[in-house]
Amino acid sequence: MSKQLQALEVNRRGALKVGIGALASLAVGETILLHPGEAAAQPARPPRRPNVRGTPKVPHNYKRARKITSVCLNCSTVCGIVGYVDNGKLIKIGGNPEDPNNGKMLCAKGQAGVVISTYPERLLYPLKRVGRRGQGTWRRITWEEAYADIAKRVRACIDAGHPEHVAIHIGRSRLADIMGRFLNAIGSPVLLNHRALCSLNKRAANYATIGDVDWESVDAERCKYLLNFGSNFYEAHQGAIHFLKRVIKGRYDNGCKLVTFDVRLSNTAGRSDEWHAPFPGTEGAVALALANTIVADGNFDRDFMTTWTNTTVDALSAFLKPYTPEWAEKLSGISAGDIRRIARAFIRERPRCAAFTNRGSHAHYNGFNNDRAVILLNALAGSINQPGGYCYAESAEIPDHLFPMPAPVPAAPKIRTDLEDPPEWPLANRWQKMRVGQIVYAYLKQKRARLQVYFTYTLASPTTWPEGRSLAVEVLRDEKLIPFHVCSDVVYSETAHYADLILPDATYLERWGLDARNNYELRTYATLRQPLVPPPAECVNFADVLIQVGKRLGPEVSRYFDFRNYEDFVRLRCRQLPKGDSADGFAYMKRHGVYHNTSEPRSYDLFKRPLTKAQLDGSRTDPQTGIISKRNARGVEEAIGITMNAQALRGFKTPSRKFEVHSQTVAQAAARVKIDDDGWPHYVPIPAHQNLPEDRFILTTFKWNVHTQGRTAPQKYLTEIVHDNPMWINAATARRLGIRTGDTVEVTTYRPRGRTFDPTGQRIGSARIRAFVTEGIHPRVFAVSNSLGHLFGGRSAAARRGPRAEGPGFDPKILSEDADLTTNLWWSQADGGKGAGFNVNAILPIQPAPITGMQAWFDTVCSIRKV
C-alpha cells in the first residue's frame, strides 16, 4: 500500500487519509483513498452479538407516528405509499389506500425502503477526484465549489457553440421535468435513458398498432381469459402489484383463465392454468398461428376488424395464411393441437379477453413484431378498450392541463446527435424519445459523438449494461472520451468510482416530485412524491443540483429557473389543480398523495368518443380518408380524429386514426435503413438461433420480486432474501452433460449475428457459476437472474462483512454503524456464505434489435462445460 500511496497525486492542502478511522474525521479540503472491498474483515469472524432472549423490545408507536403520503421508487411501478414517522425516524412504509393502483398493498421492495435513508455507507458530502480516474482518491469539497465547477464547464460548452456536448444519462429518475428543462435551457438534446434496455419493443409495438404512449392496462378483474406472453407479473411486470391484484380478483370472481408462454417456470407460470415453454423468440410465431386459427374459423369481431382497422378481412386472411399451427409447432415446439385449442378458448370469451406481453416476448431481435402479433389477437377479439379487455387510458403521463410547467418554458433544441438519435434505429425516437442507451459508450469510443460534461444519475451502467464491466468501464475510465463526469448517487457505486465529482443524492424518501404511471382504473391520475424524512448531512436532490447550476449560467439560462428549489417548482406545477378539501392544489396533493378524477368515466371505447366543438375549431377533414387534422401549438398540422358514419370521433392515435395491422410508418422506417419490411407483423427468425449446434444454448435472464437491477442490493433486508443466482439448467440437458445441482460450470457467450451491433459471432466472455437443475426451463435455455454480483455499493451488495470502509461520506455522528453488516452478514463468502452472486450482464453482448434498437437480452448464444 505504501508504494501505491507514494505514487498518488495528492492535493497539497490536506494530508491523504486512508481507512475506516479517517472517514469519521474527513473535513472539507482533506483527501481520502477508498478501495472497494476494504470492508472485508480479514481476521477471524468476530463473535456474534449475545442472544439477549428475554430482553423486552419496545414496539413502535404507530398511533403516535405522523403519516405522510409519498410515492415508492424502489422499482418503476410507482406505488402510492404512506410513511409512518415517529420522533423524526421512518419506522414503517405501507400502501396509500387512496392510490387507485396499489391501494393498501405494497410489495417487499416497497416495505424495505425504511432502511434506505439510514444506509451506514451513504454518500453524505460532495467529493472531488484526486489522482487518476478510477484510482479511488477523493477530496471533500463544498457544494459551492461543486456548483461553480459544473457551471464553468457547462458554460464553456454553451460559449463554444456546442451545448450538445453536455449530456444527462439516467437510470431510474422520475425527474424528467427538470432534467428536460435544464437541457432545453442550455440547448442540448442529449438526455440519455435506459429505455432500450427495458421496454422499447413493447412500447413501439403499442405505438405502431394503437398509438398509445405507454404500457397497456389490461382490465384483468373483468377478464375471462388471459394470454400471457413472457410476463412474470407475480414478480417483475411493470405495475406488478397494480396488475397482479386485479388478475387475482378476476380469477376468483369470474373464473378468468390464465395461460402463460415463458421459457422458464416463473412464479407467474407456476400459478397459471397452463404453462407452455416455447423456444426463445418464437412467441410471435405462436401468436400468428393463434390468429390464423381464429380467422380461419371465422369467429372474430368482424365489425371491429372491418370498421376500426386499416386492413380488410381478406387481406388479413391472406397475410396469416402461411402462419399455420403446424408451422408454428416446428419453430416453437408447442403442439399445433394446443395452439388451436387455446385460440378457440380465448376467442370464445371475446371481448372479455386479453393477450399481453413483457420481456419474454419483446426482448428479442424480433421482439417488435412478436408484440405486434400478440396485440393483433386483441383486435380480432374486439377487446381493445373494452371491459375485461386490452385497455389503455388517456395518458400515462402527468396531465399537462392540470400540472402545467412554470413559465417561461424553454424550447426544445432543434439540433440532433447520433448519441441521442442514432440513425441505424429509426423507430427508436419515432414516437417518443426512447434512444438506444446500450450503444452510448461504443459511440463515444468510436468518436461518433463527443461529450465534455457527462452527468450520471443513479446510473449503474457497469453493473446493469451489457458489456458493462468491459466497454462501459473502459470508456468511463478514459478522460479523453469523457473529460468531466459528474455522478449523483446515494452510495459509492461502480459508476461513482469512475466520476470526477460525486454528488450525494437525496433518496426518493427525502425529495419532491410529481409522478404517474398507467392507471388500471383507466382515469386521469397523478401522484406527489414528498419527503418522509429530511436528507442527512449534505445530501441534495439532483433536481435541486440542476436548478442551482442553471441559476449560475447567465441570464439567458437562469430565467428558466426563477424559483427557489424543486419543491417550489412542484408547487407551481400544482397551481391549477382543484384545491378540493385543502388550501390549494399543492396542499391537496400533500394531504392525499394522489389526484384521481373518479368523476370521469373509465376510458372504455376511448377511440369512439366524439371530438368536442373546441377540438374541431380550426380543423380540416380529408375527404378521401376522413382524417381530421389541426395545427398544434407549434404550428404543425397533426391528425386529431376521424370521421366515421358522419361523426367526428377521436379514433386511435395512429397516422390512419385506426388500429394499424399494417404500418406504413414501419415500412418507411425500414426502407431508410435498407431493411426489407412491408409493414405487416411478419415473424422474423433470429439469425443467431438458426442452425444452432447441439453444444450451443440460449442464455436468458430474469428478475426476482425483491430486486430491481442496480438499485436494491445495498438494502440488507432484500439482499438477505435473494443474494445468490445459480444458473437454471433443464434436468434432461443436465443429465446429458453430467451436471448436478451445486456443480460449478463455465458458461461462455458469443456475439450475435444479423442486423445488430458487432455481429461477428465471436466469443465475448466466460464466467463460472453454480448450477441449479430443474424441470422448469426449456431444454435449450439457461437462465440466470440479474441484479446481483455487485463489486461496490456497500457490504450488503458486495457480501463483505466487516467495518465499513466504502463510504466516502461516512460520519458516525450522522449515520451509525449497522452491527449486522459488521458481524452478522451471513452470506459473506469469506464466512462460508454464497457471496454476492454473479453479474451476468458482464458477459452479455450489446445487441440492439433492427429498426427499434431494443436490447435483445434473451437471444445470447452460449456454450457450457462442467468445471
Side-chain angles (χ1 to χ4, degrees), residues 760-838:
T760 62
Q762 295 177 344
R763 177 185 177 277
I764 185 170
S766 296
R768 294 186 175 188
I769 188 169
R770 285 185 299 278
F772 170 66
V773 178
T774 174
E775 299 283 351
I777 193 167
H778 191 284
R780 297 303 300 273
V781 177
F782 302 144
V784 180
S785 72
N786 53 30
S787 308
L788 299 177
H790 291 252
L791 300 178
F792 298 68
R795 289 160 290 177
S796 172
R800 297 190 186 103
R801 176 190 54 76
R804 58 182 159 189
E806 276 191 26
F810 163 68
D811 190 328
K813 298 186 293 295
I814 297 172
L815 295 177
S816 59
E817 175 63 294
D818 185 335
D820 285 342
L821 301 179
T822 303
T823 61
N824 294 334
L825 202 148
W826 52 268
W827 58 94
S828 171
Q829 201 164 26
D831 299 315
K834 292 184 176 179
F838 169 64

Side-chain angles (χ1 to χ4, degrees), residues 106-339:
L106 201 63
C107 75
K109 293 192 295 290
Q111 296 181 60
V114 292
V115 303
I116 293 174
S117 292
T118 55
Y119 284 159
E121 296 145 328
R122 275 193 70 170
L123 295 163
L124 296 177
Y125 307 110
L127 298 167
K128 185 171 185 176
R129 174 173 65 89
V130 177
R132 297 186 309 276
R133 186 180 291 171
Q135 186 171 260
T137 316
W138 303 94
R139 176 170 59 86
R140 180 178 165 186
I141 62 173
T142 66
W143 270 108
E144 189 50 48
E145 287 179 279
Y147 292 144
D149 196 2
I150 297 169
K152 178 184 70 176
R153 294 172 185 269
V154 173
R155 186 71 248 177
C157 293
I158 297 172
D159 292 342
H162 288 292
E164 75 279 6
H165 289 175
V166 180
I168 299 178
H169 203 169
I170 59 175
R172 185 71 61 196
S173 75
R174 319 307 293 175
L175 296 172
D177 53 3
I178 205 70
M179 290 181 177
R181 190 182 190 92
F182 178 84
L183 289 174
N184 289 348
I186 67 171
S188 173
V190 192
L191 178 60
L192 306 169
N193 60 27
H194 66 284
R195 180 66 51 75
L197 302 175
C198 180
S199 60
L200 196 158
N201 268 340
K202 181 179 181 68
R203 293 171 186 263
N206 265 335
Y207 301 154
T209 52
I210 61 179
D212 191 26
V213 296
D214 213 286
W215 292 48
E216 75 286 340
S217 303
V218 173
D219 194 16
E221 64 184 290
R222 298 171 185 85
C223 193
K224 293 286 288 180
Y225 205 105
L226 288 168
L227 276 179
N228 168 26
F229 289 82
S231 169
N232 185 14
F233 58 81
Y234 271 81
E235 295 188 276
H237 187 81
Q238 182 75 58
I241 254 187
H242 308 174
F243 185 40
L244 172 60
K245 74 175 191 177
R246 288 166 173 83
V247 171
I248 293 172
K249 182 174 173 56
R251 299 193 74 194
Y252 276 90
D253 288 359
N254 55 36
C256 178
K257 186 165 185 177
L258 173 61
V259 176
T260 292
F261 298 93
D262 198 320
V263 298
R264 184 181 67 90
L265 185 62
S266 66
N267 275 325
T268 302
R271 288 164 173 78
S272 300
D273 295 287
E274 296 183 31
W275 168 52
H276 300 272
F279 189 85
T282 62
E283 293 81 5
V286 174
L288 289 171
L290 292 166
N292 172 289
T293 300
I294 291 168
V295 171
D297 287 351
N299 183 18
F300 57 90
D301 192 322
R302 191 172 294 270
D303 180 65
F304 181 86
M305 294 301 298
T306 302
T307 306
W308 281 106
T309 72
N310 70 336
T311 189
T312 65
V313 171
D314 288 345
L316 178 62
S317 180
F319 163 68
L320 291 172
K321 188 175 181 179
Y323 297 123
T324 65
E326 287 75 17
W327 165 84
E329 178 180 356
K330 291 178 182 178
L331 292 171
S332 68
I334 298 173
S335 75
D338 280 339
I339 291 173

Side-chain angles (χ1 to χ4, degrees), residues 468-479:
R469 294 268 168 81
S470 51
L471 178 62
V473 168
E474 177 189 352
V475 175
L476 287 169
R477 192 191 295 271
D478 193 327
E479 297 178 37

